[in-house]
Amino acid sequence: MSTAEAAATAQARAPGSTIKFSSPLQIPVVGVVTEDEEAQGVFKPMDLNRVIKLLEETGKDDLEEKQLKSVKKMVQCYQNGLPLRDLAQIFKILNLCAGKIKKQPYFIEPACNILKLCGLPFLKKKVSDEITYAEDTANSIALLGDLMIIPSSELRIQICYQQASSSYKIKMAEVGGLAKTMVQSLVLFENQLVEKLWVLKTLQHLSASEVNCTLMVKAQAAGAICAHLNDPDPSGQLLFRSSEILWNLLEKSSKEEIIQQLSNLECLLALKKVFKNLFTRGFSNYDRQLRNDILVITTIISQNPGAPMIECGFTRDLILFATFNEVKNQNPLVKGLKFSNSYEDFELKKLLFNIIVTFCKDLSTIQLLIDGKVILALFTYVKKPEKHKIVEWSAAQYEELQLHAIATLSSVAPFLIDEYILYQGNAHVLAFLEWCDSEDSFFSHGNSFHGTGGRGNKFAQMRYSLRLLRAMVYLEHETINKDLCEKRAIQQLIGIFKNTISKYNDKEEAILLEIQSDILLILSGLCEHHIPRKEIFGTEGVDIILHVMKTDPKKLQSGLGYNVLLFSTLDSIWCCIFGCYPSEDYFLEKEGIFLLLDLMALNQKKFCNLILGIMVEFCDNPKTVAHVNAWRGKKDQTAASLLIKLWRKEEKELGVKRDKHGKIIDTKKPLFTSFQEEQKIIPLPANCPTIAVMDVAENIRAKIYAVLGKLDFENLPGLSAEDFVTLCIIHRYLDFKIGEIWNEIYEEIKLEKLRPVTTDKKILESIITASENIGKMVASLQSKMIESQACQDVQNEQKVYTKVQATHKQRELANKSWENFLARTSNVKTLKKAKRLQEKGIESSRYSEHPSNAIFHRTDIKGLNTTVPSGGVVTVESTPARLVGGPLADTDIALKKLPIRGGALQRVKAVKTVNEPEKSVPA
């Protein structure tokens, strides 16, 4: 034993002494022995079997001296470390020595010397030794735990002192189950502090491993350690080691199992006593940290409803500690106590708020919370901060506690409604919201979790106040809601919403969206089922709803809360507008239906169901149908076309059988989904909905049918042939669904082996047959529509072809005309022939007889040698520039009409280039 080790051991064994534990030495896993080292004596050969045989002998006079000498020789032989191959025999020798200690105390020293060798690296000659001797090593290390039963303090301390820092030794300790044995040995040291502290130190070191923690849990370590937290210990090490072990067990093993082990009266009384002592008498930083650790462990235990927290009085004491600083209390336990602004006390205050939230989940603690005036204590934070009253905490600490207190109120107040009303909770919250919305100068630190997004403003305070208000409104307690409305909460919330719009910036976008969502949810809770409150909501409320609905659709994918805000907005349409006709008309007037259809056209399934429900309700208003029919989406899509497209998409997702044209395949089950096909019909009680009935609520087909039904299914604009095929099914949705339910009834009767009377049977069969006939009729109608559309497509194709042919014919005629023109201008004979044909045509068109008194007007100009009809204005055409170009092709003059010489009214239209005119016919 080294001088330092001897001093530590001597001090530990001295009564009433303070033990100082040195940190474990970091040693290698296993020492590797080379041939040179072996030659130098690292692996000295020794007959261990002879030593074992000698230790097992009894009855000789000088036997004890020989045994001690042989063990001493063995220790000297292995002074550089224990070889893995000899470990099993060496530990057998150790076990024999330990067994003789009770009758022969002289064997304590050799046993301890062998244990010291265990602190050295194990030696291996081959790389495979670690694997080959793994089982022997694990069993040997496990033997250390078994030796704890030897009634020798020195031996026990030496066992605990062994360093287990190497990964190989820790692994072998896990395999051998050393941790479990050490836990079981604790019962031997109830009155032996020194040994107990060494065992706890060892367990603390072993608990760093998850495997060891699992072994310790199986040995009921948590309960055994926690029950002795208050055992006398002048050094304070027992409480520290024990709390560390409990923390490791909670982090690295089954949390539920640990809570179950600690949820007994003995453990909770021990925790209560420790916490009270540390709370009232602990003044050092170390005591405060330990106090907070104990409170966290207690909070975890309190999550178990079966823990006797109330029975042991711990709950009442914790509530007292949480509220004594805000509510005056004459209890001597807190007399003269005061929080400091140290970090540990600040953390303690937050932990006490947390445990109150845990307590309120157990209804049996409600009366204790009332007696402790928890609501009153928490409401002391729901007010504008006043610097001269903040004594204990800094500004940043008070802000964090304020936010934490309001968050705690959101969880506790719904369980203490009478207390909330008694202390005028609504007035406190609304006054605080008014301050949050004001322009008062206030610099928020925003350092904490609750203060996220609220640095330099009052948004964090507003967010948690609105959460509290939302929690209370959704209780649907008439007294609370009525009081809020009487205090003009609706108008105040609408005003706050408008102000958040004006204060909008990208930096606080997330928190502002959450505030807006909560405001809309609160307004929905207040206005639902109350027409007068909807009238108060009025046009100003509708305006903020419309503002949200105009949000850029791209932001719905940003993940910053726009989806939640939109859901809140749609909910507020249900609760704040429906039933109030002026608000409905104003919503329609401001194109609210258009905005709803725009949202539905985004094809986001999460919104479609809710929007369709709103559309169904809105269609009860006679003014709605005109708005729906007037809406146009992308590519001039109509509302009816959009709804039918959604129906097809829904049926595709549900796995409904349709052919490529959307036609019914199974006329007996035209609406059946793939889920319905998989499920077998089973008899159900009359009050249980069947699969066919559940299908109505689980998809949007019924709502699409209802909306199109309000539009009357007739004269729906903008539908394609495919839409009409689908519309046939939608039109008969109710008939199909009724037939589906009757079919289920019929199948259930068969399964229950019931025989209906003849009349009922005939009626049932006729209903099922009629339903099937409707399916056949719809399928036939769809076939006719598909055929008609096919014929129409052929006709349309023929029209296109005819138009193409006409275009080609016109082109041919134009080319022929151009060829004639070229012939006339380039060949005199052709020009003369054309002139004669022209004159002949003119002559043949005249009347053969003329009245005697008639005045005859010539239709041609005498002496004009052209082959084109003449008039007051002549157009001179030149060769098109696209054919020959020309010197004036790119000039402005080629594109203008120029006056003819002499200023006459005639104009010449020059086409791109001006070439020589058509040749005149010689006179």
Side-chain angles (χ1 to χ4, degrees), residues 48-278:
L48 295 176
N49 290 326
R50 183 175 175 277
V51 178
I52 294 170
K53 186 176 180 181
L54 184 62
L55 288 170
E56 289 176 343
E57 290 181 3
T58 57
K60 294 183 181 181
D61 294 337
D62 59 345
L63 183 62
E64 181 178 332
E65 184 178 350
K66 291 181 179 179
Q67 290 172 338
L68 291 172
K69 188 176 180 180
S70 65
V71 174
K72 184 177 180 181
K73 184 179 179 181
M74 185 201 73
V75 171
Q76 289 178 347
C77 181
Y78 293 111
Q79 61 183 345
N80 294 317
L82 302 177
L84 288 173
R85 68 185 183 186
D86 298 334
L87 210 57
Q89 291 175 302
I90 293 170
F91 268 82
K92 187 173 182 180
I93 293 170
L94 173 62
N95 194 30
L96 290 170
C97 291
K100 295 177 180 292
I101 289 175
K102 190 172 182 181
K103 294 180 180 180
Q104 298 170 297
Y106 302 108
F107 280 93
I108 292 176
E109 184 179 353
C112 289
N113 289 335
I114 296 173
L115 286 170
K116 290 175 187 176
L117 295 178
C118 295
L120 299 175
F122 293 152
L123 305 178
K124 64 179 180 181
K125 190 173 183 180
K126 299 178 181 178
V127 176
S128 61
D129 281 358
E130 288 186 26
I131 301 172
T132 305
Y133 301 107
E135 185 178 355
D136 291 343
T137 307
N139 293 334
S140 300
I141 293 178
L143 181 63
L144 295 175
D146 297 331
L147 294 179
M148 295 298 291
I149 63 174
I150 304 299
S152 170
S153 177
E154 186 177 351
L155 182 69
R156 290 168 176 171
I157 292 172
Q158 189 62 49
I159 292 171
C160 296
Y161 187 76
Q162 295 312 306
Q163 315 301 333
S165 57
S166 69
S167 59
Y168 181 72
K169 289 183 178 180
I170 291 176
K171 184 178 179 181
M172 293 301 101
E174 293 172 353
V175 175
L178 177 61
K180 183 178 181 180
T181 312
M182 297 299 285
V183 171
Q184 292 170 345
S185 69
L186 277 173
V187 296
L188 303 172
F189 317 124
E190 290 188 2
N191 300 316
Q192 300 174 36
L193 178 61
V194 176
E195 289 89 336
K196 184 187 295 184
L197 291 176
W198 277 102
V199 172
L200 288 174
K201 178 185 176 184
T202 303
L203 287 174
Q204 180 185 354
H205 191 67
L206 291 173
S207 65
S209 160
E210 292 185 6
V211 175
N212 286 333
C213 283
T214 303
L215 293 171
M216 291 167 68
V217 170
K218 290 180 179 178
Q220 304 291 314
I225 292 171
C226 185
H228 295 86
L229 287 175
N230 289 293
D231 288 358
D233 174 25
S235 69
Q237 290 293 318
L238 186 144
L239 184 57
F240 168 71
R241 304 283 183 197
S242 299
S243 63
E244 285 294 313
I245 294 169
L246 290 175
W247 263 114
N248 288 340
L249 291 175
L250 284 167
E251 289 178 353
K252 298 178 180 178
S253 61
S254 172
K255 188 175 180 180
E256 292 74 19
E257 181 65 26
I258 299 298
I259 292 174
Q260 199 62 39
Q261 290 183 21
L262 297 176
S263 298
N264 58 70
L265 201 58
E266 185 181 12
C267 290
L268 287 172
L269 284 171
L271 286 169
K272 173 188 173 184
K273 186 176 180 180
V274 169
F275 183 78
K276 286 174 66 175
N277 288 336
L278 291 171

Side-chain angles (χ1 to χ4, degrees), residues 321-335:
F321 293 145
T323 60
F324 81 92
N325 208 40
E326 292 79 21
V327 180
K328 291 183 179 180
N329 199 301
Q330 301 302 321
N331 193 310
L333 192 62
V334 294
K335 188 176 181 180

